Amino acid sequence: MKALLLASLLESSLNSFQKLSVTHCYAIKCGSVSDIYVSNRILDSYIKFGFLGYAHKLFDEMPQRDSVSWNTMISGYTSCGKLDNSWCLFTDMKRCGCYVDGYSFSRLLKGIASAKRFHLGEQVHGLVIKGGYECNVFVGSSLVDMYAKCERVEDAFEAFMEISEPNSVSWNALIAGFVQVRDIETAFWLLGLMEMKAAVTMDDGTFAPLLTLLDNPMFCNLLKQVHAKVLKLGLEHEITICNAMISSYADCGSVSDSKRVFDGLGGSRDLISWNSMIAGFSKHEQKESAFELFTEMHRNWIETDIYTYTGIVSACSGEEHQSFGKSLHGLVIKKGLEQVTSVSNALISMYIQFPTGVMKDALSLFESLKSKDLVSWNSIMTGFSQKGLSEDAVKFFSYLRSSNIEVDDYTFSAVLRSCSDLATLQLGQQTHALATKSSFESNEFVTSSLILMYSKCGVIENARKCFEQISSEHSTIAWNAMILGYAQHGSGQVSLDLFSQMRNQNVKLDHVTFTAILTACSHTGLIQEGLELLNSMEPVYKIQPRMEHYAAAVDLLGRAGLVNKAKELIESMPLSPDPMVLKTFLGVCRACGEIEMATQVASHLLEIEPEDHFTYVSLSHMYSDLKKWEEKANVKKMMKERGVKKVPGWSWIEIRNQVNAFNAEDRSHPLSKEIYLMIEDLTQEMQWLDSDKGIDQASLIGVNFVF
DNA sequence: CTAGGGTTAG
């Protein structure tokens, strides 16, 4: 009677913690706790409900324990990431003379796998061999998985070969290992081998990880083939495969196909399906659809999690989503997710991308985040760099270096961009050395930043060296950087040559390529070439000209004094010109002495961007040139009334780790007297060179600088 | 009481 009652109690305890407690009390009362089977069942239930403490107490009080009791405790600790406790239990188990079996090994190895403790894994492998469990399919698969998670695919392969009859789980674990190290070829080769084996069948566990490899438009066809195979095997309703396909289609550039898979799931979609679809939409600038899904989730009372929030927060980038983004931040706080690193990271980069506001919001979030990871640091540094606060970016880099977080290619790219912004060669070189040491030098983003840094610092030869060393000859961003480097260096012809090489070698061109090449034309006075390129962008290269291209073209025409042509260009634009184009045009008007046109453009600019000092300063300078003092005074008055401050322009030079900064009419430098004398000398020399007799001798003159 | 698989931020 007692045994029967206990058995039924144990059965119902599986889904209620309260019933479990009652069962435990009853078992104690009738002395059944000494029954190993009963105690093991209670132990397991405590662990399933997450009450590890209760479980351990019961375990300690058990008069007798068998392998099952020990194994249950081991897996209890592995599943909550407490590997050290599992390991202690494992060693105690052996010490107590309890029989270590296949179950013990697979559970321990699972913990080692998720902790990626390769050396411990190797030790356990030794024990597995000693115990003769190598060919056991469960232990063997655990070993394969352990090595795979530690990214030791060779070892995983060897362990796999030891399994006498590998099943689909063994195969899947091995394939997943090659997926993890992004060895696409081997992963698909193994898939082919697996297909030929009659003893194993490919299942959802085979395809889900494989699909995550297909994250680039170049895999579009492969993805379709895999999809076809999935259909052929009748696996198209497997949730994990569908979820992986939603992401893959989005990454391969076909969100509509993602949506089709998502819709096909109907009511069987789970949280991951929703999250993947939201992330897919926000990656592909289909922000509105992402927002719609998010509200639909709420309408349907679907639980959200951190992935939902990282996805939806990253959909808020532009000005138009600013207020929604802020409400999301509020929601995150309400849900108590603000200290979750990934969520906070997404919020930080959201604040950085808002056009207004400097770094205040992003920075305060960053500072209050308790566990910052590399992404947090990289985001904040990129933010500083993008907002023109490069000194802060560099400062944060040194903070980061003094922490024990390893830096990566994103870090180097951000720091090097700041170095080029600051034109600080020494720091740039030091960073270059660090990048080389940690072998991130060959990363295309790092290389491009190096090229930009060296060209900005005037060491174009070094920029060229970096460019020559790029591993992927088809890196568009590296070519763009080099073209821009030569453009800034005044070697527009070299830029144009590189551009034609780029076309000959079938390197993909993008909108940045055209900004770079138009800048090159502008700086070298190649008017005709520049205009032809602008006009060919859309019809020949299928790249729609953006504002920056028009601005570059206006600048190009302006430098040649063709104000009217510039005006015509602006009027012919398919979109109405943005402030950047207008400001460029204002500069052109001023330089060409077109006062009337300048006044017109300026008054328009003052209306749309009243807070920007540029327009006021341009006008003020123009009136000074024309000696129109009254007008100049009006402009100054307007600035004062509107609270607009002139931002002085600075120049600086780095000499032996010391930055020497100057602005107009500055006499604060300790060597000011000598500097001004030298400037006078140089000016005279330039004037002389500019005269007829100077030109022929120009190449013979070496100018020595005193500092 | 054992083993594998799908989502996130720069």
Side-chain angles (χ1 to χ4, degrees):
Chain A
M1 179 60 205
K2 266 190 208 164
L4 216 73
L5 185 61
L6 195 60
S8 80
L9 270 172
L10 274 169
E11 204 54 52
S12 64
S13 299
L14 290 173
N15 46 29
S16 153
F17 178 67
Q18 235 167 358
K19 284 183 191 162
L20 174 62
S21 317
V22 173
T23 311
H24 191 180
C25 289
Y26 181 72
I28 292 169
K29 214 173 134 192
C30 58
S32 297
V33 268
S34 51
D35 180 338
I36 291 198
Y37 173 78
V38 172
S39 285
N40 282 348
R41 288 287 301 268
I42 298 173
L43 205 59
D44 191 50
S45 297
Y46 273 133
I47 285 168
K48 287 215 173 81
F49 287 117
F51 290 90
L52 209 56
Y54 287 172
H56 208 136
K57 191 161 176 283
L58 171 62
F59 179 76
D60 284 340
E61 288 165 356
M62 277 164 73
Q64 282 181 320
R65 305 173 194 129
D66 62 0
S67 301
V68 178
S69 335
W70 285 96
N71 292 343
T72 308
M73 279 317 295
I74 291 176
S75 76
Y77 281 109
T78 14
S79 54
C80 64
K82 294 185 170 171
L83 177 61
D84 293 327
N85 299 49
S86 307
W87 175 246
C88 287
L89 278 161
F90 181 79
T91 47
D92 283 350
M93 180 179 183
K94 286 198 296 180
R95 202 178 306 134
C96 296
C98 191
Y99 183 64
V100 172
D101 59 7
Y103 292 91
S104 328
F105 283 121
S106 18
R107 302 194 145 189
L108 185 63
L109 283 164
K110 187 179 179 169
I112 295 172
S114 48
K116 299 188 179 188
R117 297 266 293 267
F118 170 64
H119 292 293
L120 191 56
E122 273 187 318
Q123 277 185 50
V124 175
H125 191 172
L127 296 172
V128 167
I129 295 171
K130 229 167 114 183
Y133 283 103
E134 253 181 312
C135 47
N136 174 312
V137 69
F138 287 99
V139 179
S141 302
S142 307
L143 275 172
V144 172
D145 180 52
M146 183 274 294
Y147 283 123
K149 294 248 164 66
C150 297
E151 305 195 341
R152 311 296 274 237
V153 281
E154 311 263 313
D155 295 314
F157 200 92
E158 274 175 35
F160 176 83
M161 296 305 281
E162 293 300 325
I163 305 173
S164 42
E165 279 178 21
N167 61 15
S168 58
V169 176
S170 331
W171 279 92
N172 294 348
L174 183 64
I175 292 176
F178 285 95
V179 168
Q180 194 164 345
V181 295
R182 284 204 69 97
D183 185 344
I184 302 179
E185 235 171 90
T186 315
F188 275 91
W189 173 71
L190 284 169
L191 181 74
L193 284 184
M194 186 180 177
E195 195 177 6
M196 287 189 292
K197 293 272 175 199
V200 283
T201 46
M202 300 185 288
D203 60 12
D204 45 349
T206 319
F207 288 101
L210 265 175
L211 281 162
T212 63
L213 280 176
L214 313 177
D215 57 356
N216 182 301
M218 67 190 265
F219 297 126
C220 211
N221 272 324
L222 190 52
L223 173 56
K224 282 180 187 153
Q225 289 175 39
V226 174
H227 194 163
K229 175 91 33 197
V230 165
L231 287 166
K232 214 174 142 190
L233 294 168
L235 296 169
E236 71 273 22
H237 298 297
E238 292 295 336
I239 187 81
T240 50
I241 293 188
C242 290
N243 291 345
M245 276 204 294
I246 291 171
S247 307
S248 297
Y249 272 122
D251 291 339
C252 289
S254 181
V255 215
S256 52
D257 285 313
S258 303
K259 186 73 179 9
R260 211 174 302 160
V261 176
F262 179 77
D263 289 341
L265 276 169
S268 51
R269 44 180 95 112
D270 66 3
L271 182 54
I272 298 182
S273 329
W274 287 91
N275 291 348
S276 306
M277 198 62 239
I278 287 179
F281 278 134
S282 44
K283 261 182 229 157
H284 284 271
E285 301 297 313
Q286 300 196 19
K287 319 278 179 168
E288 299 310 321
S289 311
F291 297 143
E292 261 170 48
L293 270 194
F294 184 69
T295 44
E296 203 182 322
M297 278 180 90
H298 281 85
R299 234 195 342 264
N300 296 326
W301 301 101
I302 296 165
E303 272 305 321
T304 51
D305 70 354
I306 56 166
Y307 290 98
T308 323
Y309 283 95
T310 46
I312 199 69
V313 165
S314 66
C316 307
S317 48
E319 195 178 1
E320 64 272 31
H321 305 129
Q322 204 154 342
S323 68
F324 185 65
K326 283 184 183 168
S327 337
L328 278 176
H329 188 178
L331 208 53
V332 165
I333 295 173
K334 210 170 124 187
K335 291 248 171 195
L337 299 174
E338 215 195 13
Q339 283 300 335
V340 177
T341 310
S342 61
V343 177
S344 252
N345 288 348
L347 282 168
I348 289 170
S349 61
M350 174 191 84
Y351 278 119
I352 286 166
Q353 281 172 43
F354 286 160
T356 54
V358 202
M359 285 288 290
K360 214 177 108 250
D361 293 321
L363 198 59
S364 67
L365 212 66
F366 176 81
E367 275 166 352
S368 60
L369 181 62
K370 289 194 189 79
S371 57
K372 304 172 180 60
D373 65 0
L374 187 57
V375 177
S376 332
W377 283 95
N378 288 345
S379 309
I380 209 80
M381 283 167 47
T382 310
F384 278 132
S385 165
Q386 279 171 7
K387 301 266 176 186
L389 301 163
S390 295
E391 281 141 310
D392 294 298
V394 171
K395 199 163 75 191
F396 272 62
F397 178 57
S398 68
Y399 297 156
L400 171 60
R401 292 248 310 142
S402 56
S403 78
N404 48 14
I405 300 175
E406 287 262 344
V407 297
D408 70 357
D409 44 339
Y410 282 89
T411 322
F412 283 118
S413 180
V415 182
L416 287 165
R417 289 306 297 269
S418 302
C419 290
S420 55
D421 187 35
L422 299 167
T424 158
L425 181 59
Q426 298 203 8
L427 197 58
Q429 281 173 321
Q430 286 173 15
T431 315
H432 186 178
L434 281 175
T436 310
K437 232 168 99 179
S438 40
S439 49
F440 283 112
E441 194 190 22
S442 52
N443 173 283
E444 60 173 332
F445 291 94
V446 178
T447 305
S448 307
S449 306
L450 279 169
I451 294 170
L452 291 173
M453 185 273 293
Y454 280 120
S455 20
K456 183 68 189 294
C457 295
V459 197
I460 197 83
E461 319 81 68
N462 285 4
R464 184 71 195 218
K465 267 188 208 155
C466 296
F467 177 67
E468 305 287 352
Q469 281 165 5
I470 50 169
S471 43
S472 96
E473 291 156 29
H474 294 273
S475 168
T476 302
I477 55 169
W479 282 84
N480 291 349
M482 198 61 249
I483 290 176
L484 194 64
Y486 279 116
Q488 287 169 340
H489 215 249
S491 314
Q493 197 50 55
V494 187
S495 297
L496 279 170
D497 292 345
L498 278 175
F499 181 69
S500 66
Q501 270 183 50
M502 217 175 152
R503 281 178 301 177
N504 290 337
Q505 297 179 21
N506 287 322
V507 184
K508 198 171 177 296
L509 310 176
D510 66 7
H511 67 99
V512 183
T513 318
F514 282 93
T515 313
I517 200 71
L518 285 169
T519 312
C521 293
S522 164
H523 285 211
T524 325
L526 300 163
I527 325 280
Q528 207 47 46
E529 287 85 346
L531 284 182
E532 276 169 18
L533 280 167
L534 178 74
N535 292 328
S536 62
M537 275 180 76
E538 178 101 69
V540 182
Y541 302 102
K542 312 287 173 222
I543 296 169
Q544 220 176 24
R546 300 186 183 189
M547 287 300 168
E548 60 257 39
H549 301 115
Y550 289 110
V554 167
D555 184 59
L556 173 89
L557 292 165
R559 280 169 194 252
L562 304 166
V563 196
N564 288 317
K565 285 261 185 230
K567 188 166 176 261
E568 279 169 30
L569 176 67
I570 293 178
E571 283 162 355
S572 73
M573 279 169 63
L575 307 152
S576 59
D578 77 342
M580 180 177 43
V581 175
L582 293 175
K583 279 189 268 185
T584 312
F585 186 58
L586 173 60
V588 166
C589 292
R590 200 194 127 199
C592 299
E594 292 285 342
I595 299 100
E596 228 170 278
M597 236 187 278
T599 318
Q600 260 178 28
V601 180
S603 65
H604 180 55
L605 271 168
L606 288 178
E607 260 173 54
I608 54 171
E609 279 200 332
E611 74 286 349
D612 190 344
H613 67 100
F614 177 88
T615 314
Y616 302 92
V617 175
S618 297
L619 273 180
S620 160
H621 281 171
M622 189 175 81
Y623 292 133
S624 296
D625 294 343
L626 299 166
K627 303 195 165 37
K628 294 190 167 186
W629 307 118
E630 205 174 310
E631 283 88 342
K632 185 182 161 108
N634 280 338
V635 174
K636 291 265 168 189
K637 204 175 131 210
M638 212 189 316
M639 274 180 94
K640 210 171 171 184
E641 281 168 3
R642 298 184 181 178
V644 180
K645 287 217 167 59
K646 185 189 166 186
V647 180
W650 286 85
S651 299
W652 60 91
I653 184 165
E654 192 184 301
I655 305 154
R656 288 188 210 101
N657 262 340
Q658 188 77 43
V659 176
N660 299 268
F662 309 89
N663 65 19
E665 301 288 318
D666 190 350
R667 293 198 177 264
S668 61
H669 195 276
L671 292 172
S672 182
K673 211 170 154 191
E674 287 86 339
I675 292 168
Y676 275 96
L677 274 174
M678 176 52 81
I679 290 175
E680 213 166 289
D681 275 0
L682 286 172
T683 315
Q684 273 178 12
E685 201 136 9
M686 278 160 75
Q687 278 165 351
W688 180 73
L689 280 173
D690 209 23
S691 66
D692 288 344
K693 60 182 176 204
I695 293 171
D696 295 340
Q697 295 174 37
S699 55
L700 301 172
I701 294 169
V703 183
N704 289 312
F705 290 86
V706 276
F707 68 97

